[in-house]
Amino acid sequence: MQVHNKIDNLKTDISNYKSANKKIGFVPTMGALHEGHLSLIKVAKENAEIVVVSVFVNPTQFNDPNDYKKYPRNFSKDTEILKNAGAHIVFMPFEEEIYPGKDTRQFDFGALERVMEGKHRPGHFNGVAQVVSRLFDIVEPDVAVFGEKDFQQLTIIRKMVKDYNYPTKILGAPIVRETDGLAMSSRNQRLTSEQRKNAAFINQILAASKNKTHQLSVEQVENWVTESLNKIDHLKVEYFQIVDQETLQPINNWQENCDKIGCIAVYCGEIRLIDNIKYSL
Ligand code: AMP
């Protein structure tokens, strides 16, 4: 496995594989790797011959400077994990490689970015698009894999690829969970043991809400989830919204003809966690 900090070296390595007609799969991450990330690498390996993984804590997507400062970083452990996972190339860029100057590009994803994460984290998706487009320009992957845990992000990346004609195929991978149901996240390691225990209720309440769709309206299910979680120590729901999986716009009733997903952001102490659940009616 090759580890690169600089674009030039990375590109030379990748172009050797490209001239040998090898298909390049790409998994962008912010590190502090867990099984969720490894599942994306597995999908990349099934769909490409060479797997490139980037580890970069992207400053432009953090709307909260404290979250950026405290985001877990463990580059040597990540390198070990990636070696064991069978990644071929790791890109851990210096910040000035990704942003040689201030990135002033403004992306517009329309209604997709005006709800949920986009609404509550101003500038977040612009930062995500800046870093992912920059990484796509450098790696030029045939396939890139993103997790459904960040469902809105996956939708926005698909839109970016379409709008900007990237020749990259985007694959989504299902959420990987801890045994008690909590969605794996690098931020989970910042929870105290009591917070960690209570964080498991997020998925448990979401799962229970799937059995409520016959008795309760969409709005009532949203309220039930929010109120149930807010009763639990340490948890404070920022939003819970049931939306159309494609347009991400709120739905008003269960009869609407679309696939439905409930997306949630919850503060557990000062740690912000996200999750989602698909409703099949
Ligand atoms: P991050 O390092 O948190 O920016 O995540 C990098 C990629 O891993 C993103 O595409 C995430 O959606 C994905 N990811 C993070 N956690 C999980 C999880 N629990 N299950 C599946 N994918 C995940």
Side-chain angles (χ1 to χ4, degrees):
M1 183 178 85
Q2 295 294 319
V3 182
H4 298 291
N5 309 115
K6 299 195 123 207
I7 294 171
D8 284 354
N9 303 339
L10 173 79
K11 280 183 89 87
T12 309
D13 207 0
I14 292 176
S15 65
N16 287 336
Y17 285 116
K18 286 200 175 234
S19 7
N21 275 325
K22 303 282 187 203
K23 212 168 153 188
I24 307 293
F26 180 45
V27 180
T29 82
M30 297 205 298
L33 300 174
H34 50 67
E35 294 287 331
H37 297 111
L38 297 186
S39 74
L40 308 190
I41 294 172
K42 187 161 174 277
V43 172
K45 288 184 90 167
E46 286 161 2
N47 287 276
E49 289 145 293
I50 298 301
V51 173
V52 181
V53 180
S54 64
V55 176
F56 179 63
V57 185
N58 172 39
T60 70
Q61 73 188 69
F62 284 83
N63 55 314
D64 173 358
N66 202 39
D67 187 26
Y68 175 63
K69 209 173 94 203
K70 295 198 170 162
Y71 198 85
R73 292 159 170 90
N74 199 336
F75 300 116
S76 54
K77 188 169 165 210
D78 286 347
T79 309
E80 208 47 45
I81 290 174
L82 291 170
K83 209 187 285 171
N84 292 332
H88 301 91
I89 301 177
V90 177
F91 185 41
M92 290 184 169
F94 300 125
E95 190 176 326
E96 57 272 24
E97 290 286 296
I98 301 296
Y99 300 116
K102 188 173 161 51
D103 192 338
T104 54
R105 290 175 300 158
Q106 288 292 328
F107 293 81
D108 181 0
F109 300 110
L112 288 180
E113 68 175 23
R114 285 196 278 273
V115 291
M116 304 190 293
E117 290 301 280
K119 181 170 163 194
H120 288 89
R121 301 185 68 187
H124 170 64
F125 286 121
N126 202 57
V128 167
Q130 285 176 339
V131 76
V132 174
S133 62
R134 181 90 174 114
L135 290 167
F136 279 11
D137 290 338
I138 296 165
V139 175
E140 300 182 72
D142 298 289
V143 177
V145 191
F146 292 82
E148 288 192 353
K149 184 172 88 85
D150 301 88
F151 194 85
Q152 190 172 10
Q153 168 174 280
L154 172 61
T155 307
I156 281 182
I157 297 296
R158 288 192 199 281
K159 168 117 176 98
M160 182 187 85
V161 161
K162 200 164 158 229
D163 288 356
Y164 292 85
N165 286 310
Y166 278 101
T168 302
K169 183 174 172 191
I170 303 300
L171 299 176
I175 302 178
V176 177
R177 300 181 179 283
E178 301 286 356
T179 43
D180 62 4
L182 177 64
M184 287 193 185
S185 163
S186 306
R187 290 183 175 91
N188 292 351
Q189 52 179 276
R190 294 186 53 210
L191 300 170
T192 65
S193 62
E194 203 191 338
Q195 288 171 344
R196 168 65 191 81
K197 234 170 53 212
N198 290 2
F201 284 107
I202 300 169
N203 175 248
Q204 287 163 20
I205 299 287
L206 288 180
S209 77
K210 290 180 73 155
N211 300 321
K212 306 255 168 212
T213 56
H214 294 297
Q215 313 103 273
L216 301 182
S217 68
V218 171
E219 194 186 348
Q220 286 169 330
V221 169
E222 288 173 340
N223 292 339
W224 180 80
V225 166
T226 304
E227 284 159 19
S228 305
L229 286 171
N230 282 342
K231 278 185 204 143
I232 295 164
D233 279 352
H234 305 294
L235 302 187
K236 178 90 190 71
V237 175
E238 186 173 58
Y239 68 82
F240 174 58
Q241 190 135 52
I242 300 171
V243 299
D244 177 330
Q245 281 185 36
E246 212 179 292
T247 63
L248 302 184
Q249 300 312 295
I251 60 159
N252 295 311
N253 64 70
W254 297 116
Q255 282 68 47
E256 285 185 34
N257 182 23
C258 61
D259 293 324
K260 299 160 189 82
I261 187 166
C263 298
I264 196 163
V266 184
Y267 275 95
C268 186
E270 63 167 24
I271 314 302
R272 189 174 182 280
L273 303 173
I274 59 169
D275 200 345
N276 60 69
I277 193 112
K278 290 178 183 170
Y279 293 93
S280 40
L281 293 137

